[in-house]
Amino acid sequence: MKNIEKFISETIEECQGKFRKIDEIALFNQQKVLNAFIDCGIALRHFAGTSGYGYDDVGRDGLNKLFARVFNTEAAVVSPLISSGTHALTVALFGILRPGDAALSVSGRPYDTLQDVIFAKGNGSLADFGIGFETVNLTQDGDFDFRAIEERLMSENIKAVYVQRSRGYEWRKSFSVEKIGELCRFVKKIRPNMCVMIDNCYGEFVQAKEPSEAGADICAGSLIKNPGGGICPTGGYIVGAGKYIDLIAGRLTAPSVGCEIGSYAAGYRNFYQGLFLAPHTVAQAVKTAMLFSCAISKLGYEVLPCAEDDFYDIVCSVKFNDPDKLISFCQSIQTASPVDGFAVPEPWDMPGYSDKVIMAAGCFVQGSSIELSCDAPIRSPYIAYLQGGLTFEHGVIALKKALENL
Ligand SMILES: *Cc1c(COP(=O)(O)O)cnc(C)c1O
């Protein structure tokens, strides 16, 4: 027990240099977010709830303006009516693509819950509407396969390039904004009008720039991850060029009304306050992931990112090569949860996933993975994905539980 505590404090000491870099990014992003609040004239009246159509809902309009300002885009749709990250990405894809078009994923297979959105038959997927979707796998060392991408871009029906910034349930590194910028420049040299769309889940505020500031046309994500700051109760966002956001808003509600309707009776305070807290909360989560990565690699497990890597999302992957060890690790994280800490998570058939998934998430907001959480599809090589943590201190305590268990 004493040994574990000593081991943890030594590991924290080793991480100090990297923690300072994270603090600098958090300070930069906090200033950026604060400036946006001031520039947008955010006031108490923006927090009020609305009913019915939500005409003149200043809370909704203000939030759209604020996100557009923070992500440095022409426009945004931010809404509690977007139920999840998957929903945000789906609405974006259906908004910009038309029958006969195709999208090209250049980061390999998209996230699990998008498989049925894209490929399934008879459920209203993109495929059902005659919209194609092609995939270019990453190279051996996890980079974009620029040669293969160039070749595929020759095909006229490709109307959007799709990039998943974070790793999803894959054993790979996440992309830096700089790398995504390089890709955007490459794509636009070949097809200047191509729409580059980013699955931005888990990436927001990890770096000082967002993909939308590096050439991406659309970014989408979940508000119960990074940009909700840990207190946003639900929702998703899409930011980007005005012409795309108009099309996407028309899909989210109806083409005749777009962003002009949509009410929310409970009010928007937690959406605003969550965005304000997000730079700090994300820093807590990145530190937590970094600490886990450092500590667990010292025990001989393979982790991603490695201790010496930079972090481009809030996740730490641990490869167990053994389902029982994986499940037990997730369960040990649950025992350190403030909510449902007494529960024992089991793998189950979660909606949208084809493998059973175990999810340790003793969270204040159901399934919120900017809160400390650990999940995994039950498939070889049995990788746990640990992310979140509203406070670094909570991460330290959870690590202690995990190490006792290991
Ligand atoms: C979380 C996540 C999503 C969306 O998941 P939801 O559970 O629907 O919010 C999509 N892509 C990636 C990479 C993710 O991490």
Side-chain angles (χ1 to χ4, degrees):
M1 192 57 149
K2 266 269 160 325
N3 283 343
I4 290 183
E5 276 170 19
K6 185 154 167 276
F7 175 75
I8 293 176
S9 55
E10 282 167 7
T11 311
I12 292 175
E13 218 36 61
E14 292 159 23
C15 291
Q16 283 309 326
K18 303 198 120 198
F19 286 179
R20 261 192 300 277
K21 248 165 84 182
I22 297 171
D23 289 335
E24 281 167 22
I25 293 170
L27 177 60
F28 180 89
N29 282 329
Q30 188 69 72
Q31 182 75 64
K32 173 159 74 171
V33 169
L34 175 61
N35 289 348
F37 270 77
I38 295 167
D39 291 347
C40 292
I42 301 308
L44 283 175
R45 67 195 167 89
H46 288 104
F47 307 158
T50 54
S51 65
Y53 294 112
Y55 294 140
D56 299 317
D57 180 332
V58 294
R60 180 196 64 220
D61 293 346
L63 212 47
N64 290 344
K65 250 174 74 178
L66 190 57
F67 267 69
R69 183 60 68 108
V70 168
F71 286 85
N72 213 344
T73 58
E74 288 173 3
V77 209
V78 187
S79 178
L81 309 177
I82 300 175
S83 313
S84 67
T86 304
H87 188 195
L89 292 160
T90 300
V91 171
L93 286 167
F94 276 93
I96 60 174
L97 297 167
R98 295 292 172 267
D101 292 349
L104 178 68
S105 168
V106 296
S107 47
R109 174 183 181 274
Y111 189 68
D112 294 53
T113 56
L114 286 155
Q115 296 300 313
D116 281 356
V117 172
I118 295 166
F119 301 111
K121 283 279 177 214
N123 67 347
S125 66
L126 289 177
D128 276 352
F129 285 87
I131 298 168
F133 198 96
E134 299 178 25
T135 302
V136 173
N137 287 324
L138 301 176
T139 60
Q140 277 291 305
D141 45 359
D143 197 359
F144 295 120
D145 188 341
F146 287 101
R147 280 252 296 282
I149 294 168
E150 178 164 19
E151 206 168 286
R152 289 298 197 44
L153 285 177
M154 297 303 156
S155 158
E156 274 302 312
N157 64 334
I158 304 285
K159 294 291 162 53
V161 164
Y162 183 94
V163 185
Q164 183 182 302
R165 180 175 173 185
S166 181
R167 67 198 75 181
Y169 286 150
E170 302 287 333
W171 186 255
R172 71 152 169 101
K173 289 182 187 173
S174 299
F175 290 109
S176 68
V177 170
E178 293 71 28
K179 193 75 201 175
I180 292 173
E182 183 189 338
L183 175 88
C184 291
R185 289 190 296 277
F186 180 83
V187 167
K188 283 166 194 251
K189 224 158 102 189
I190 303 164
R191 298 274 301 269
N193 298 321
M194 180 65 66
C195 173
V196 179
M197 167 181 169
I198 313 291
D199 172 353
N200 209 23
C201 285
Y202 286 146
E204 301 92 346
F205 302 120
V206 173
Q207 295 187 260
K209 269 189 174 185
E210 293 299 326
S212 45
E213 298 174 286
D217 300 276
I218 303 174
C219 296
S222 166
L223 296 184
I224 63 168
K225 293 182 178 174
N226 304 17
I231 63 166
C232 189
T234 188
Y237 77 91
I238 305 150
V239 295
K243 62 176 178 180
Y244 295 126
I245 295 299
D246 284 346
L247 291 169
I248 292 164
R251 255 314 113 211
L252 176 64
T253 61
S256 52
V257 286
C259 273
E260 304 291 322
I261 65 163
S263 64
Y264 191 59
Y268 296 99
R269 182 167 58 86
N270 286 337
F271 294 77
Y272 285 94
Q273 196 171 352
L275 178 65
F276 182 72
L277 291 173
H280 178 75
T281 308
V282 167
Q284 304 299 295
V286 178
K287 285 181 186 176
T288 299
M290 220 173 243
L291 177 66
F292 265 82
S293 174
C294 262
I296 290 177
S297 68
K298 286 203 262 181
L299 302 185
Y301 291 94
E302 247 189 292
V303 297
L304 267 188
C306 313
E308 53 274 12
D309 291 335
D310 281 323
F311 276 57
Y312 299 129
D313 65 14
I314 63 166
V315 187
C316 161
S317 313
V318 186
K319 198 189 274 183
F320 284 101
N321 293 312
D322 176 342
D324 296 333
K325 274 193 184 152
L326 167 70
I327 290 167
S328 158
F329 180 76
C330 293
Q331 289 172 342
S332 72
I333 299 299
Q334 184 78 26
T335 65
S337 300
V339 182
D340 294 336
F342 51 83
V344 182
E346 297 281 349
W348 65 297
D349 293 305
M350 271 177 81
Y353 295 86
S354 52
D355 297 287
K356 278 190 190 299
V357 174
I358 184 165
M359 186 146 196
C363 300
F364 292 93
V365 171
Q366 188 190 62
S368 163
S369 45
I370 185 63
E371 298 185 48
L372 186 69
S373 50
C374 186
D375 43 76
I378 307 300
R379 65 181 179 228
S380 176
Y382 304 104
I383 301 162
Y385 299 86
L386 177 126
Q387 65 274 312
L390 298 183
T391 68
F392 176 66
E393 292 78 11
H394 184 204
V396 173
I397 294 164
L399 176 61
K400 205 167 119 191
K401 290 265 191 189
L403 291 177
E404 283 164 13
N405 174 266
L406 286 175

